[in-house]
Amino acid sequence: MTTASGQRPGKQTKEPSIQKLVEQATRTYIAQLQPRYLGDQPAAVAELARLRRGAGKRAHQVKDLWGIGALEDLAELLEGRHDSDRLEKAEEAVFLTSTLWALHQQSRRDQGMYAKGRSLGGAVRSLIRLKDSPGTDDEESPLRKRLVRVGTAESLDSVAVRLREIVLLLRTAPEPLPLDYARLAGQLYRWQHRPERAGVQREWGREFHLAATASRAKKGQTSGAEGDDAIDPNLGADEEGTYGGYAAGE
């Protein structure tokens, strides 16, 4: 026997995880704003200009961005949740990814820089292919080390600055390299919860290596198995690469 809603009596629908709601809020906000920006609508252009001022910063640091649409969407989705620490982490993840997308999208009217399924690790691997000299070992590339330093950062402030550095490089790539910012938001939400951090680091590494596997398959090449973790145990959290350092205090 089922109720009018189609559910069995006494059976409750499982509440979606906060991670899923973080991804949903980010996806909804960008999916609404991106086509308006590509259409050169003045309100959308002004909204992205505001968002870019927050790229690489924490949600509380830019008062002009308190109450942006993404955070309002998230607040509605999280209504009734009471874990303040988890809610704060959710807000930070949505804010950071929304502002990074705006930075990535800056001045591009030909294509949206949010694209489902485009992973962070895969984008860095593609960037290596486009920017580094032919024959460069991907594992030794300074660009890979940038990805490593995102994973080995010890604070969200460091992650924000280091992701901003990567996004700036993606924005100036010879060809468009969009990202799935909803997926990234979910990963950043989990990254802030220390027991889940190693899993997120492994995901970024796996994305990086799977992109290489896909590239070789496309070219009809074969190779030995690679590891699935981009976190290099020989690279310290604050070690600098060839492309220079980060902001003071990193």
Side-chain angles (χ1 to χ4, degrees):
M1 179 179 178
T2 59
T3 64
S5 64
Q7 296 180 9
R8 294 183 181 278
K11 185 176 182 180
Q12 296 182 341
T13 303
K14 185 178 180 180
E15 195 172 50
S17 68
I18 294 180
Q19 176 193 340
K20 294 298 183 185
L21 297 181
V22 163
E23 293 173 357
Q24 181 181 336
T26 306
R27 183 184 306 111
T28 299
Y29 179 64
I30 297 178
Q32 292 174 346
L33 190 53
Q34 183 166 270
R36 293 170 51 214
Y37 180 80
L38 295 176
D40 204 22
Q41 294 185 18
V45 172
E47 179 85 349
L48 262 76
R50 288 178 61 221
L51 288 169
R52 285 196 298 272
R53 290 196 288 273
K57 298 180 181 178
R58 301 284 295 276
H60 67 277
Q61 293 177 314
V62 189
K63 294 181 181 178
D64 184 46
L65 293 178
W66 291 0
I68 61 171
L71 294 182
E72 290 183 350
D73 291 344
L74 180 67
E76 290 183 9
L77 291 170
L78 294 177
E79 187 175 1
R81 306 286 180 109
H82 303 293
D83 186 336
S84 59
D85 180 62
R86 285 281 188 169
L87 300 185
E88 181 179 335
K89 288 178 171 59
E91 291 170 355
E92 293 288 359
V94 172
F95 179 86
L96 178 54
T97 47
S98 297
T99 57
L100 288 173
W101 163 74
L103 181 66
H104 196 172
Q105 189 68 60
Q106 183 179 6
S107 302
R108 296 203 74 115
R109 298 291 200 282
D110 57 332
Q111 181 177 335
M113 290 299 101
Y114 165 74
K116 186 177 180 181
R118 297 298 188 93
S119 68
L120 176 64
V124 171
R125 177 73 81 164
S126 297
L127 190 61
I128 291 172
R129 175 177 56 84
L130 292 171
K131 281 187 170 286
D132 284 357
S133 302
T136 299
D137 184 350
D138 289 0
E139 297 298 316
E140 296 301 320
S141 169
L143 289 166
R144 176 188 175 274
K145 291 180 181 180
R146 282 188 177 274
L147 178 63
V148 170
R149 287 195 296 273
V150 173
T152 56
E154 287 297 318
S155 71
L156 187 63
D157 294 285
S158 294
V159 168
V161 172
R162 295 173 187 194
L163 281 175
R164 185 179 188 276
E165 297 268 345
I166 289 177
V167 166
L168 283 170
L169 289 169
L170 293 175
R171 194 185 76 184
T172 58
E175 64 184 51
L177 293 174
L179 282 180
D180 187 336
Y181 280 96
R183 173 182 173 85
L184 182 59
Q187 291 173 327
L188 289 173
Y189 167 72
R190 290 165 48 217
W191 182 93
Q192 294 174 78
H193 187 54
R194 188 164 287 277
E196 299 181 50
R197 186 168 298 179
V200 176
Q201 293 169 339
R202 283 192 293 271
E203 283 181 18
W204 286 333
R206 192 175 299 116
E207 292 166 359
F208 182 84
H209 292 301
L210 284 176
T213 302
S215 178
R216 285 195 300 271
K218 188 175 181 179
K219 295 176 183 178
Q221 298 173 345
T222 58
S223 175
E226 294 191 59
D228 67 351
D229 193 347
I231 306 305
D232 185 344
N234 298 316
L235 183 65
D238 296 315
E239 183 177 337
E240 301 302 339
T242 305
Y243 289 156
Y246 295 92
E250 276 297 89

mmCIF file of all heavy atoms in Angstrom, residues 168-207:
data_model
loop_
_atom_site.group_PDB
_atom_site.id
_atom_site.type_symbol
_atom_site.label_atom_id
_atom_site.label_comp_id
_atom_site.label_asym_id
_atom_site.label_seq_id
_atom_site.Cartn_x
_atom_site.Cartn_y
_atom_site.Cartn_z
ATOM 1 N N LEU A 168 43.340 31.639 -13.156
ATOM 2 C CA LEU A 168 43.907 32.690 -14.004
ATOM 3 C C LEU A 168 44.670 32.087 -15.184
ATOM 4 O O LEU A 168 44.624 32.613 -16.304
ATOM 5 C CB LEU A 168 44.827 33.590 -13.179
ATOM 6 C CG LEU A 168 44.127 34.608 -12.273
ATOM 7 C CD1 LEU A 168 45.139 35.271 -11.331
ATOM 8 C CD2 LEU A 168 43.403 35.670 -13.094
ATOM 9 N N LEU A 169 45.370 30.980 -14.944
ATOM 10 C CA LEU A 169 46.075 30.308 -16.027
ATOM 11 C C LEU A 169 45.095 29.664 -17.001
ATOM 12 O O LEU A 169 45.305 29.696 -18.223
ATOM 13 C CB LEU A 169 47.033 29.257 -15.455
ATOM 14 C CG LEU A 169 48.257 29.817 -14.725
ATOM 15 C CD1 LEU A 169 48.980 28.707 -13.968
ATOM 16 C CD2 LEU A 169 49.215 30.497 -15.702
ATOM 17 N N LEU A 170 44.023 29.080 -16.489
ATOM 18 C CA LEU A 170 43.008 28.501 -17.365
ATOM 19 C C LEU A 170 42.358 29.577 -18.230
ATOM 20 O O LEU A 170 42.068 29.359 -19.412
ATOM 21 C CB LEU A 170 41.937 27.792 -16.529
ATOM 22 C CG LEU A 170 42.364 26.545 -15.752
ATOM 23 C CD1 LEU A 170 41.203 26.046 -14.896
ATOM 24 C CD2 LEU A 170 42.845 25.447 -16.693
ATOM 25 N N ARG A 171 42.141 30.738 -17.653
ATOM 26 C CA ARG A 171 41.475 31.828 -18.385
ATOM 27 C C ARG A 171 42.302 32.305 -19.568
ATOM 28 O O ARG A 171 41.760 32.716 -20.592
ATOM 29 C CB ARG A 171 41.211 32.999 -17.433
ATOM 30 C CG ARG A 171 40.243 34.031 -17.997
ATOM 31 C CD ARG A 171 40.116 35.216 -17.082
ATOM 32 N NE ARG A 171 41.281 36.089 -17.167
ATOM 33 C CZ ARG A 171 41.466 37.160 -16.410
ATOM 34 N NH1 ARG A 171 40.578 37.470 -15.474
ATOM 35 N NH2 ARG A 171 42.539 37.916 -16.556
ATOM 36 N N THR A 172 43.629 32.240 -19.442
ATOM 37 C CA THR A 172 44.508 32.738 -20.510
ATOM 38 C C THR A 172 45.035 31.618 -21.398
ATOM 39 O O THR A 172 45.950 31.845 -22.191
ATOM 40 C CB THR A 172 45.695 33.508 -19.893
ATOM 41 O OG1 THR A 172 46.418 32.649 -18.998
ATOM 42 C CG2 THR A 172 45.209 34.723 -19.118
ATOM 43 N N ALA A 173 44.488 30.422 -21.281
ATOM 44 C CA ALA A 173 44.937 29.295 -22.098
ATOM 45 C C ALA A 173 44.635 29.563 -23.576
ATOM 46 O O ALA A 173 43.699 30.290 -23.915
ATOM 47 C CB ALA A 173 44.252 28.011 -21.651
ATOM 48 N N PRO A 174 45.416 28.964 -24.482
ATOM 49 C CA PRO A 174 45.205 29.173 -25.921
ATOM 50 C C PRO A 174 43.837 28.717 -26.414
ATOM 51 O O PRO A 174 43.382 29.163 -27.472
ATOM 52 C CB PRO A 174 46.329 28.337 -26.564
ATOM 53 C CG PRO A 174 47.367 28.217 -25.505
ATOM 54 C CD PRO A 174 46.631 28.177 -24.213
ATOM 55 N N GLU A 175 43.207 27.813 -25.700
ATOM 56 C CA GLU A 175 41.847 27.385 -26.049
ATOM 57 C C GLU A 175 41.033 27.259 -24.771
ATOM 58 O O GLU A 175 41.587 27.127 -23.678
ATOM 59 C CB GLU A 175 41.872 26.063 -26.810
ATOM 60 C CG GLU A 175 42.404 24.883 -26.029
ATOM 61 C CD GLU A 175 42.495 23.619 -26.856
ATOM 62 O OE1 GLU A 175 43.083 23.652 -27.957
ATOM 63 O OE2 GLU A 175 41.960 22.585 -26.394
ATOM 64 N N PRO A 176 39.696 27.336 -24.870
ATOM 65 C CA PRO A 176 38.861 27.314 -23.656
ATOM 66 C C PRO A 176 39.039 26.022 -22.860
ATOM 67 O O PRO A 176 39.035 24.929 -23.416
ATOM 68 C CB PRO A 176 37.435 27.427 -24.212
ATOM 69 C CG PRO A 176 37.588 28.047 -25.561
ATOM 70 C CD PRO A 176 38.892 27.530 -26.097
ATOM 71 N N LEU A 177 39.197 26.176 -21.538
ATOM 72 C CA LEU A 177 39.306 25.034 -20.632
ATOM 73 C C LEU A 177 38.313 25.251 -19.486
ATOM 74 O O LEU A 177 38.679 25.725 -18.415
ATOM 75 C CB LEU A 177 40.735 24.910 -20.090
ATOM 76 C CG LEU A 177 41.830 24.534 -21.092
ATOM 77 C CD1 LEU A 177 43.202 24.591 -20.432
ATOM 78 C CD2 LEU A 177 41.574 23.152 -21.685
ATOM 79 N N PRO A 178 37.046 24.924 -19.716
ATOM 80 C CA PRO A 178 36.036 25.146 -18.674
ATOM 81 C C PRO A 178 36.162 24.150 -17.541
ATOM 82 O O PRO A 178 36.895 23.154 -17.633
ATOM 83 C CB PRO A 178 34.715 24.958 -19.433
ATOM 84 C CG PRO A 178 35.060 24.056 -20.569
ATOM 85 C CD PRO A 178 36.478 24.369 -20.950
ATOM 86 N N LEU A 179 35.438 24.425 -16.447
ATOM 87 C CA LEU A 179 35.428 23.562 -15.272
ATOM 88 C C LEU A 179 33.993 23.272 -14.859
ATOM 89 O O LEU A 179 33.088 24.087 -15.080
ATOM 90 C CB LEU A 179 36.137 24.238 -14.095
ATOM 91 C CG LEU A 179 37.660 24.263 -14.061
ATOM 92 C CD1 LEU A 179 38.121 24.993 -12.808
ATOM 93 C CD2 LEU A 179 38.225 22.861 -14.083
ATOM 94 N N ASP A 180 33.815 22.130 -14.205
ATOM 95 C CA ASP A 180 32.543 21.810 -13.565
ATOM 96 C C ASP A 180 32.589 22.422 -12.168
ATOM 97 O O ASP A 180 33.078 21.800 -11.218
ATOM 98 C CB ASP A 180 32.352 20.293 -13.499
ATOM 99 C CG ASP A 180 30.963 19.902 -12.996
ATOM 100 O OD1 ASP A 180 30.338 20.727 -12.289
ATOM 101 O OD2 ASP A 180 30.523 18.784 -13.300
ATOM 102 N N TYR A 181 32.093 23.642 -12.042
ATOM 103 C CA TYR A 181 32.197 24.351 -10.770
ATOM 104 C C TYR A 181 31.255 23.785 -9.710
ATOM 105 O O TYR A 181 31.509 23.951 -8.515
ATOM 106 C CB TYR A 181 31.960 25.844 -10.985
ATOM 107 C CG TYR A 181 33.204 26.539 -11.510
ATOM 108 C CD1 TYR A 181 33.380 26.760 -12.864
ATOM 109 C CD2 TYR A 181 34.220 26.921 -10.649
ATOM 110 C CE1 TYR A 181 34.529 27.358 -13.352
ATOM 111 C CE2 TYR A 181 35.381 27.520 -11.116
ATOM 112 C CZ TYR A 181 35.534 27.744 -12.474
ATOM 113 O OH TYR A 181 36.685 28.325 -12.949
ATOM 114 N N ALA A 182 30.191 23.115 -10.109
ATOM 115 C CA ALA A 182 29.332 22.459 -9.122
ATOM 116 C C ALA A 182 30.071 21.291 -8.475
ATOM 117 O O ALA A 182 30.041 21.117 -7.253
ATOM 118 C CB ALA A 182 28.042 21.979 -9.782
ATOM 119 N N ARG A 183 30.758 20.506 -9.283
ATOM 120 C CA ARG A 183 31.561 19.395 -8.757
ATOM 121 C C ARG A 183 32.658 19.935 -7.842
ATOM 122 O O ARG A 183 32.895 19.395 -6.753
ATOM 123 C CB ARG A 183 32.172 18.606 -9.910
ATOM 124 C CG ARG A 183 33.161 17.521 -9.482
ATOM 125 C CD ARG A 183 33.759 16.818 -10.711
ATOM 126 N NE ARG A 183 34.827 15.902 -10.340
ATOM 127 C CZ ARG A 183 34.650 14.641 -9.949
ATOM 128 N NH1 ARG A 183 33.421 14.165 -9.850
ATOM 129 N NH2 ARG A 183 35.667 13.865 -9.647
ATOM 130 N N LEU A 184 33.328 21.000 -8.287
ATOM 131 C CA LEU A 184 34.393 21.583 -7.475
ATOM 132 C C LEU A 184 33.852 22.096 -6.145
ATOM 133 O O LEU A 184 34.502 21.951 -5.106
ATOM 134 C CB LEU A 184 35.075 22.711 -8.244
ATOM 135 C CG LEU A 184 36.250 23.406 -7.546
ATOM 136 C CD1 LEU A 184 37.365 22.411 -7.213
ATOM 137 C CD2 LEU A 184 36.788 24.548 -8.403
ATOM 138 N N ALA A 185 32.659 22.677 -6.157
ATOM 139 C CA ALA A 185 32.055 23.167 -4.910
ATOM 140 C C ALA A 185 31.845 22.022 -3.928
ATOM 141 O O ALA A 185 32.134 22.144 -2.731
ATOM 142 C CB ALA A 185 30.728 23.863 -5.208
ATOM 143 N N GLY A 186 31.347 20.894 -4.421
ATOM 144 C CA GLY A 186 31.153 19.743 -3.548
ATOM 145 C C GLY A 186 32.465 19.235 -2.990
ATOM 146 O O GLY A 186 32.559 18.844 -1.814
ATOM 147 N N GLN A 187 33.508 19.237 -3.821
ATOM 148 C CA GLN A 187 34.817 18.791 -3.350
ATOM 149 C C GLN A 187 35.381 19.742 -2.298
ATOM 150 O O GLN A 187 35.955 19.300 -1.294
ATOM 151 C CB GLN A 187 35.772 18.680 -4.538
ATOM 152 C CG GLN A 187 35.442 17.543 -5.487
ATOM 153 C CD GLN A 187 36.296 17.555 -6.732
ATOM 154 O OE1 GLN A 187 36.700 18.608 -7.230
ATOM 155 N NE2 GLN A 187 36.580 16.376 -7.265
ATOM 156 N N LEU A 188 35.209 21.042 -2.503
ATOM 157 C CA LEU A 188 35.723 22.013 -1.533
ATOM 158 C C LEU A 188 34.947 21.950 -0.216
ATOM 159 O O LEU A 188 35.522 22.171 0.855
ATOM 160 C CB LEU A 188 35.654 23.421 -2.115
ATOM 161 C CG LEU A 188 36.665 23.704 -3.230
ATOM 162 C CD1 LEU A 188 36.400 25.064 -3.850
ATOM 163 C CD2 LEU A 188 38.091 23.626 -2.703
ATOM 164 N N TYR A 189 33.673 21.640 -0.296
ATOM 165 C CA TYR A 189 32.906 21.452 0.935
ATOM 166 C C TYR A 189 33.479 20.287 1.728
ATOM 167 O O TYR A 189 33.725 20.387 2.939
ATOM 168 C CB TYR A 189 31.434 21.203 0.605
ATOM 169 C CG TYR A 189 30.652 20.694 1.794
ATOM 170 C CD1 TYR A 189 30.338 21.542 2.858
ATOM 171 C CD2 TYR A 189 30.257 19.360 1.864
ATOM 172 C CE1 TYR A 189 29.650 21.069 3.966
ATOM 173 C CE2 TYR A 189 29.572 18.883 2.963
ATOM 174 C CZ TYR A 189 29.268 19.741 4.013
ATOM 175 O OH TYR A 189 28.593 19.265 5.118
ATOM 176 N N ARG A 190 33.732 19.171 1.064
ATOM 177 C CA ARG A 190 34.275 18.002 1.741
ATOM 178 C C ARG A 190 35.709 18.236 2.213
ATOM 179 O O ARG A 190 36.100 17.761 3.274
ATOM 180 C CB ARG A 190 34.224 16.794 0.799
ATOM 181 C CG ARG A 190 32.814 16.280 0.540
ATOM 182 C CD ARG A 190 32.779 15.349 -0.652
ATOM 183 N NE ARG A 190 33.833 14.341 -0.577
ATOM 184 C CZ ARG A 190 34.504 13.897 -1.641
ATOM 185 N NH1 ARG A 190 34.244 14.372 -2.842
ATOM 186 N NH2 ARG A 190 35.428 12.975 -1.485
ATOM 187 N N TRP A 191 36.491 18.969 1.420
ATOM 188 C CA TRP A 191 37.891 19.219 1.769
ATOM 189 C C TRP A 191 38.005 19.912 3.123
ATOM 190 O O TRP A 191 38.941 19.656 3.893
ATOM 191 C CB TRP A 191 38.556 20.082 0.687
ATOM 192 C CG TRP A 191 40.011 20.354 0.935
ATOM 193 C CD1 TRP A 191 41.076 19.642 0.461
ATOM 194 C CD2 TRP A 191 40.571 21.402 1.737
ATOM 195 N NE1 TRP A 191 42.261 20.183 0.927
ATOM 196 C CE2 TRP A 191 41.974 21.272 1.709
ATOM 197 C CE3 TRP A 191 40.025 22.445 2.487
ATOM 198 C CZ2 TRP A 191 42.828 22.131 2.385
ATOM 199 C CZ3 TRP A 191 40.870 23.305 3.173
ATOM 200 C CH2 TRP A 191 42.262 23.153 3.113
ATOM 201 N N GLN A 192 37.057 20.760 3.456
ATOM 202 C CA GLN A 192 37.110 21.503 4.716
ATOM 203 C C GLN A 192 36.899 20.606 5.934
ATOM 204 O O GLN A 192 37.255 20.984 7.050
ATOM 205 C CB GLN A 192 36.058 22.615 4.716
ATOM 206 C CG GLN A 192 36.318 23.708 3.698
ATOM 207 C CD GLN A 192 35.173 24.692 3.661
ATOM 208 O OE1 GLN A 192 35.027 25.567 4.524
ATOM 209 N NE2 GLN A 192 34.320 24.556 2.653
ATOM 210 N N HIS A 193 36.307 19.437 5.725
ATOM 211 C CA HIS A 193 36.097 18.473 6.806
ATOM 212 C C HIS A 193 37.286 17.518 6.789
ATOM 213 O O HIS A 193 37.405 16.667 5.915
ATOM 214 C CB HIS A 193 34.788 17.707 6.583
ATOM 215 C CG HIS A 193 34.410 16.813 7.705
ATOM 216 N ND1 HIS A 193 34.304 17.237 9.013
ATOM 217 C CD2 HIS A 193 34.099 15.491 7.723
ATOM 218 C CE1 HIS A 193 33.951 16.232 9.795
ATOM 219 N NE2 HIS A 193 33.829 15.163 9.036
ATOM 220 N N ARG A 194 38.197 17.687 7.742
ATOM 221 C CA ARG A 194 39.496 17.018 7.659
ATOM 222 C C ARG A 194 39.417 15.507 7.407
ATOM 223 O O ARG A 194 40.226 14.973 6.622
ATOM 224 C CB ARG A 194 40.332 17.309 8.914
ATOM 225 C CG ARG A 194 41.764 16.806 8.829
ATOM 226 C CD ARG A 194 42.645 17.420 9.882
ATOM 227 N NE ARG A 194 42.957 18.807 9.623
ATOM 228 C CZ ARG A 194 43.924 19.208 8.811
ATOM 229 N NH1 ARG A 194 44.658 18.316 8.161
ATOM 230 N NH2 ARG A 194 44.165 20.486 8.639
ATOM 231 N N PRO A 195 38.500 14.746 8.024
ATOM 232 C CA PRO A 195 38.457 13.313 7.736
ATOM 233 C C PRO A 195 38.179 12.994 6.270
ATOM 234 O O PRO A 195 38.497 11.893 5.808
ATOM 235 C CB PRO A 195 37.321 12.807 8.638
ATOM 236 C CG PRO A 195 37.264 13.793 9.761
ATOM 237 C CD PRO A 195 37.563 15.109 9.135
ATOM 238 N N GLU A 196 37.596 13.941 5.531
ATOM 239 C CA GLU A 196 37.278 13.700 4.122
ATOM 240 C C GLU A 196 38.322 14.291 3.178
ATOM 241 O O GLU A 196 38.236 14.115 1.964
ATOM 242 C CB GLU A 196 35.898 14.289 3.802
ATOM 243 C CG GLU A 196 34.769 13.665 4.603
ATOM 244 C CD GLU A 196 33.417 14.264 4.239
ATOM 245 O OE1 GLU A 196 33.100 14.329 3.039
ATOM 246 O OE2 GLU A 196 32.694 14.676 5.152
ATOM 247 N N ARG A 197 39.309 14.979 3.728
ATOM 248 C CA ARG A 197 40.266 15.716 2.886
ATOM 249 C C ARG A 197 41.078 14.786 1.998
ATOM 250 O O ARG A 197 41.297 15.058 0.814
ATOM 251 C CB ARG A 197 41.186 16.558 3.765
ATOM 252 C CG ARG A 197 42.114 17.464 2.989
ATOM 253 C CD ARG A 197 42.795 18.473 3.896
ATOM 254 N NE ARG A 197 41.824 19.351 4.540
ATOM 255 C CZ ARG A 197 42.140 20.307 5.401
ATOM 256 N NH1 ARG A 197 43.410 20.477 5.746
ATOM 257 N NH2 ARG A 197 41.213 21.070 5.937
ATOM 258 N N ALA A 198 41.559 13.684 2.550
ATOM 259 C CA ALA A 198 42.388 12.766 1.763
ATOM 260 C C ALA A 198 41.614 12.217 0.572
ATOM 261 O O ALA A 198 42.180 12.030 -0.515
ATOM 262 C CB ALA A 198 42.892 11.625 2.637
ATOM 263 N N GLY A 199 40.330 11.980 0.754
ATOM 264 C CA GLY A 199 39.511 11.486 -0.349
ATOM 265 C C GLY A 199 39.409 12.498 -1.481
ATOM 266 O O GLY A 199 39.448 12.130 -2.662
ATOM 267 N N VAL A 200 39.297 13.769 -1.141
ATOM 268 C CA VAL A 200 39.236 14.822 -2.158
ATOM 269 C C VAL A 200 40.581 14.931 -2.873
ATOM 270 O O VAL A 200 40.640 15.066 -4.104
ATOM 271 C CB VAL A 200 38.853 16.175 -1.528
ATOM 272 C CG1 VAL A 200 38.884 17.290 -2.571
ATOM 273 C CG2 VAL A 200 37.467 16.091 -0.900
ATOM 274 N N GLN A 201 41.671 14.844 -2.109
ATOM 275 C CA GLN A 201 43.001 14.886 -2.720
ATOM 276 C C GLN A 201 43.165 13.752 -3.726
ATOM 277 O O GLN A 201 43.703 13.932 -4.824
ATOM 278 C CB GLN A 201 44.069 14.795 -1.629
ATOM 279 C CG GLN A 201 44.116 16.015 -0.718
ATOM 280 C CD GLN A 201 44.982 15.790 0.515
ATOM 281 O OE1 GLN A 201 45.227 14.652 0.899
ATOM 282 N NE2 GLN A 201 45.417 16.871 1.131
ATOM 283 N N ARG A 202 42.690 12.554 -3.348
ATOM 284 C CA ARG A 202 42.783 11.409 -4.266
ATOM 285 C C ARG A 202 41.944 11.651 -5.512
ATOM 286 O O ARG A 202 42.332 11.259 -6.618
ATOM 287 C CB ARG A 202 42.351 10.126 -3.560
ATOM 288 C CG ARG A 202 43.405 9.562 -2.605
ATOM 289 C CD ARG A 202 43.068 8.158 -2.162
ATOM 290 N NE ARG A 202 41.874 8.121 -1.328
ATOM 291 C CZ ARG A 202 41.873 8.257 -0.009
ATOM 292 N NH1 ARG A 202 43.015 8.459 0.637
ATOM 293 N NH2 ARG A 202 40.752 8.197 0.684
ATOM 294 N N GLU A 203 40.779 12.279 -5.355
ATOM 295 C CA GLU A 203 39.936 12.575 -6.517
ATOM 296 C C GLU A 203 40.654 13.497 -7.484
ATOM 297 O O GLU A 203 40.633 13.278 -8.705
ATOM 298 C CB GLU A 203 38.623 13.223 -6.072
ATOM 299 C CG GLU A 203 37.624 12.248 -5.505
ATOM 300 C CD GLU A 203 36.328 12.934 -5.106
ATOM 301 O OE1 GLU A 203 36.067 14.071 -5.557
ATOM 302 O OE2 GLU A 203 35.565 12.325 -4.333
ATOM 303 N N TRP A 204 41.301 14.547 -6.976
ATOM 304 C CA TRP A 204 42.020 15.466 -7.858
ATOM 305 C C TRP A 204 43.154 14.750 -8.573
ATOM 306 O O TRP A 204 43.392 14.969 -9.759
ATOM 307 C CB TRP A 204 42.541 16.658 -7.058
ATOM 308 C CG TRP A 204 41.464 17.630 -6.670
ATOM 309 C CD1 TRP A 204 40.298 17.849 -7.332
ATOM 310 C CD2 TRP A 204 41.446 18.498 -5.532
ATOM 311 N NE1 TRP A 204 39.557 18.809 -6.687
ATOM 312 C CE2 TRP A 204 40.237 19.226 -5.589
ATOM 313 C CE3 TRP A 204 42.339 18.738 -4.489
ATOM 314 C CZ2 TRP A 204 39.894 20.171 -4.621
ATOM 315 C CZ3 TRP A 204 42.000 19.685 -3.529
ATOM 316 C CH2 TRP A 204 40.791 20.398 -3.594
ATOM 317 N N GLY A 205 43.848 13.866 -7.852
ATOM 318 C CA GLY A 205 44.908 13.097 -8.485
ATOM 319 C C GLY A 205 44.374 12.150 -9.531
ATOM 320 O O GLY A 205 44.932 12.012 -10.624
ATOM 321 N N ARG A 206 43.267 11.488 -9.211
ATOM 322 C CA ARG A 206 42.667 10.541 -10.158
ATOM 323 C C ARG A 206 42.201 11.270 -11.416
ATOM 324 O O ARG A 206 42.371 10.779 -12.540
ATOM 325 C CB ARG A 206 41.507 9.820 -9.480
ATOM 326 C CG ARG A 206 40.983 8.606 -10.249
ATOM 327 C CD ARG A 206 39.923 7.874 -9.448
ATOM 328 N NE ARG A 206 40.457 7.390 -8.188
ATOM 329 C CZ ARG A 206 40.046 7.803 -6.991
ATOM 330 N NH1 ARG A 206 39.112 8.740 -6.893
ATOM 331 N NH2 ARG A 206 40.573 7.297 -5.897
ATOM 332 N N GLU A 207 41.612 12.454 -11.241
ATOM 333 C CA GLU A 207 41.182 13.253 -12.392
ATOM 334 C C GLU A 207 42.369 13.568 -13.307
ATOM 335 O O GLU A 207 42.267 13.479 -14.529
ATOM 336 C CB GLU A 207 40.550 14.563 -11.914
ATOM 337 C CG GLU A 207 39.228 14.413 -11.184
ATOM 338 C CD GLU A 207 38.819 15.686 -10.444
ATOM 339 O OE1 GLU A 207 39.578 16.681 -10.486
ATOM 340 O OE2 GLU A 207 37.744 15.679 -9.825
#
